[in-house]
Amino acid sequence: MRIYQIIEKTSVEGPGIRFCIWAQGCSRHCEGCFAKETWNHSGGIEYSVEEIFEKIKNTKEIEGVTFLGGEPFEQAKDFALLAKKIKSLGLSVLCFTGFTIEELKKSNNKHIKDFLDNIDLLIDSPFEQDKISLDMPWIGSSNQRYIFLTDKYNMDEIKKYKNKVEVRIQKNGAFIINGMGDFSKIKEKFIEKVI
């Protein structure tokens, strides 16, 4: 699996405390994408499914795992296998995708079907810059949708959450911002405070 980034515990990428995995590689290239650094298919770090699963198993007090991107469905075989293993632990799986559920269901790719079969909540559709909206948790544009593939979550529960961001400072002084918000304004304010 090609992975851009892993955050082992976060409270801003879905319901509860979650282990988050950003897929490396995306062919969709949505205008205004917040994560262009995840587009390059040869970037990131290579992991085996087993390596990542061991990390998840050893992370305590998480409700589930979130897959972001990049585009997880461009690595459907590995993500399907990982999602199945995650579900065997009783954890939930949330996945963001730039594809629509209709596009995914039309695919003849067995791995895409297997992947969908092991996702509880899918947030689908490409980011559309002219439809930017931060009104709903974890969604960046108003065309994106919550697709409940199991009964693990529902809209009433989702509405309890608000968009938030987390800022992490790395040992080398670099900082990582994740979550949902106006990242350009956040970066400006954060840099002002640091300087």
Side-chain angles (χ1 to χ4, degrees):
M1 305 178 76
R2 278 235 163 244
I3 303 301
Y4 169 71
Q5 171 178 268
I6 292 172
I7 295 180
E8 294 184 4
K9 281 190 175 177
T10 176
S11 63
V12 299
E13 302 289 0
I17 305 296
R18 307 190 71 79
F19 188 106
C20 287
I21 303 166
W22 278 259
Q24 179 71 48
C26 180
S27 301
R28 299 195 65 90
H29 297 185
C30 301
E31 186 178 341
C33 174
F34 299 127
K36 288 181 181 174
E37 59 277 5
T38 67
W39 289 0
N40 183 342
H41 287 86
S42 59
I45 299 170
E46 224 170 280
Y47 291 92
S48 70
V49 168
E50 209 48 57
E51 282 177 294
I52 294 179
F53 184 58
E54 284 303 312
K55 288 178 183 284
I56 293 166
K57 280 199 313 191
N58 293 320
T59 303
K60 306 295 181 214
E61 301 170 353
I62 56 173
E63 176 171 331
V65 178
T66 298
F67 301 139
L68 309 96
E71 177 51 64
F73 278 90
E74 290 185 9
Q75 299 183 58
K77 181 179 179 181
D78 289 331
F79 274 98
L81 178 56
L82 182 58
K84 186 174 185 177
K85 288 174 169 283
I86 290 164
K87 297 283 282 184
S88 76
L89 298 175
L91 300 173
S92 66
V93 174
L94 184 160
C95 182
F96 289 83
T97 181
F99 293 101
T100 64
I101 187 70
E102 292 82 8
E103 290 172 309
L104 295 170
K105 284 184 172 179
K106 279 184 198 171
S107 172
N108 293 323
N109 184 322
K110 172 195 178 311
H111 304 301
I112 288 176
K113 183 190 178 313
D114 290 347
F115 193 10
L116 286 171
D117 286 346
N118 286 287
I119 294 171
D120 295 293
L121 174 57
L122 183 74
I123 297 180
D124 83 338
S125 300
F127 172 74
E128 294 185 18
Q129 192 165 19
D130 62 338
K131 295 179 181 172
I132 286 179
S133 173
L134 300 175
D135 294 341
M136 295 295 289
W138 320 307
I139 285 181
S141 59
S142 60
N143 62 300
Q144 295 174 319
R145 305 174 293 179
Y146 303 100
I147 310 293
F148 301 99
L149 297 174
T150 69
D151 61 2
K152 177 75 177 167
Y153 299 111
N154 60 55
M155 204 60 219
D156 289 336
E157 183 174 355
I158 299 301
K159 287 179 179 176
K160 294 176 187 173
Y161 290 91
K162 302 285 184 217
N163 282 322
K164 302 183 289 186
V165 296
E166 294 172 340
V167 178
R168 289 177 169 75
I169 301 174
Q170 306 292 80
K171 289 178 183 175
N172 66 2
F175 60 94
I176 297 171
I177 301 173
N178 71 297
M180 185 59 71
D182 185 338
F183 281 14
S184 56
K185 284 185 180 174
I186 292 165
K187 283 180 183 176
E188 284 172 21
K189 291 199 180 287
F190 188 74
I191 290 168
E192 284 172 14
K193 299 278 184 202
V194 171
I195 294 173

